[in-house]
């Protein structure tokens, strides 16, 4: 069982609100990732980090930002949420770059 | 960039029958390939991976995948499907090299197993 946790599990908020999605892992992995999953299932990489103070944008452009101040923590922030941000957000970590990923249960975000 | 394609949005199988979920890949160099499963309201779970060696890879929950270099395929298989296998299945490929590498996922295939 993977030791990677995401909170909240579900979030419904109004347009313009600032939100932070939390992701923590207890496996000591340097590599962490955020994926956005469309309603039609497809996964898109939006952010990744290869270690503390390292963050990179992924393949899909996103208005969100991330930070990596501690190895175990990789939060994602939306400064001003919009309905187009409604999606499922999946956090993952791996021991090595391009290796086996461990996923959290995801955060289902709905912006009204 | 490396990529994988899952040509079927949905696969329907009767319980007890063999199942195949298809995946083809496009890579330069040696492919590192993965299969993941997503049950409803859950994150993705690792099933198996191919890096090198035996073309038949065995994974979790009785699944296996066959790597075929000439057909650039990595199909997921199970000899006898269960209703509980109903889920979303994702093929993935390692993209990039060294510390810059990451996984790129296919579009997913929904497997529906019925009684």
């Amino acid at each position: 069982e993977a030791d990677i946790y995401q909170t909240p599990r579900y979030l419904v908020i109004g347009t313009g609100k600032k939100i932070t999605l939390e992701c923590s892992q207890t496996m000591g992995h340097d590599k962490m990732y955020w994926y956005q999953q469309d309603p039609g299932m497809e996964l898109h990489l939006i952010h990744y980090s290869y270690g503390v103070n390292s963050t990179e944008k992924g393949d899909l452009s996103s208005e969100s930002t991330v930070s990596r101040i501690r190895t175990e923590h990789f939060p994602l922030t939306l400064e001003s949420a919009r309905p187009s941000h409604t999606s499922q957000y999946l956090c993952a970590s791996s021991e090595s770059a391009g290796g086996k990923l461990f996923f959290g249960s995801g955060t289902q975000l709905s912006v009204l | 960039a490396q990529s994988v394609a899952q040509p079927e949005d949905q696969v329907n199988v009767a319980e007890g029958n063999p199942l195949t979920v298809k995946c083809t890949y496009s890579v330069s160099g040696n492919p590192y390939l993965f299969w993941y499963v997503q049950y409803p309201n859950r994150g993705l779970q690792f099933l198996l991976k191919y890096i090198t060696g035996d073309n038949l890879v065995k994974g979790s929950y009785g699944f296996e995948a066959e790597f075929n270099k000439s057909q650039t395929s990595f199909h997921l298989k199970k000899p006898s499907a269960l209703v509980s296998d109903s889920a979303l299945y994702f093929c993935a490929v390692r993209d990039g090299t060294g510390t810059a590498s990451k996984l790129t996922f296919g579009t997913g295939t929904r497997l529906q197993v019925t009684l």
Side-chain angles (χ1 to χ4, degrees):
Chain A
E1 193 71 24
D3 296 315
I4 180 163
Y5 308 99
Q6 289 186 243
T7 57
R9 184 71 183 88
Y10 301 95
L11 181 61
V12 181
I13 60 168
T15 297
K17 299 292 185 183
K18 177 180 179 180
I19 61 164
T20 297
L21 307 185
E22 302 289 347
C23 176
S24 295
Q25 50 96 5
T26 59
M27 296 173 282
H29 290 167
D30 285 330
K31 282 69 177 177
M32 295 190 74
Y33 308 83
W34 276 103
Y35 286 87
Q36 184 173 340
Q37 186 172 26
D38 299 339
M41 307 185 303
E42 192 168 356
L43 284 161
H44 298 285
L45 181 66
I46 52 174
H47 298 284
Y48 59 100
S49 167
Y50 288 147
V52 172
N53 295 324
S54 147
T55 61
E56 302 286 345
K57 289 190 178 296
D59 304 321
L60 180 69
S61 176
S62 173
E63 293 165 345
S64 58
T65 59
V66 292
S67 62
R68 191 85 183 278
I69 299 172
R70 302 197 317 265
T71 297
E72 63 270 24
H73 195 212
F74 191 41
L76 181 146
T77 298
L78 276 167
E79 290 292 333
S80 179
R82 296 206 300 272
S84 60
H85 296 138
T86 294
S87 190
Q88 170 149 253
Y89 293 85
L90 292 169
C91 181
S93 72
S94 67
E95 187 174 8
S96 60
K100 174 182 172 181
L101 289 174
F102 294 86
F103 281 86
S105 296
T107 294
Q108 182 62 53
L109 173 65
S110 296
V111 184
L112 307 177
Chain B
Q2 326 288 40
S3 65
V4 289
Q6 295 181 244
E8 302 157 315
D9 288 339
Q10 180 154 330
V11 171
N12 298 307
V13 176
E15 187 174 57
N17 284 358
L19 70 87
T20 298
V21 182
K22 295 180 180 177
C23 174
T24 58
Y25 64 87
S26 175
V27 305
S28 54
N30 295 321
Y32 282 32
L33 297 161
F34 301 78
W35 274 103
Y36 286 81
V37 59
Q38 185 178 31
Y39 296 102
N41 300 315
R42 301 277 296 276
L44 277 69
Q45 296 178 35
F46 171 83
L47 277 178
L48 51 81
K49 67 179 179 183
Y50 172 85
I51 295 177
T52 187
D54 212 350
N55 289 344
L56 186 64
V57 181
K58 293 191 182 297
S60 306
Y61 312 122
F63 284 93
E64 56 191 26
E66 187 172 8
F67 173 73
N68 188 316
K69 188 172 183 178
S70 62
Q71 297 184 6
T72 62
S73 67
F74 189 55
H75 300 333
L76 182 70
K77 301 184 179 189
K78 188 173 182 182
S80 179
L82 298 172
V83 172
S84 57
D85 292 329
S86 299
L88 288 172
Y89 290 81
F90 291 91
C91 183
V93 63
R94 190 175 82 169
D95 193 2
T97 57
T99 55
S101 55
K102 52 191 183 295
L103 292 193
T104 296
F105 287 83
T107 52
T109 298
R110 184 177 300 278
L111 174 66
Q112 188 70 45
V113 182
T114 54
L115 290 170

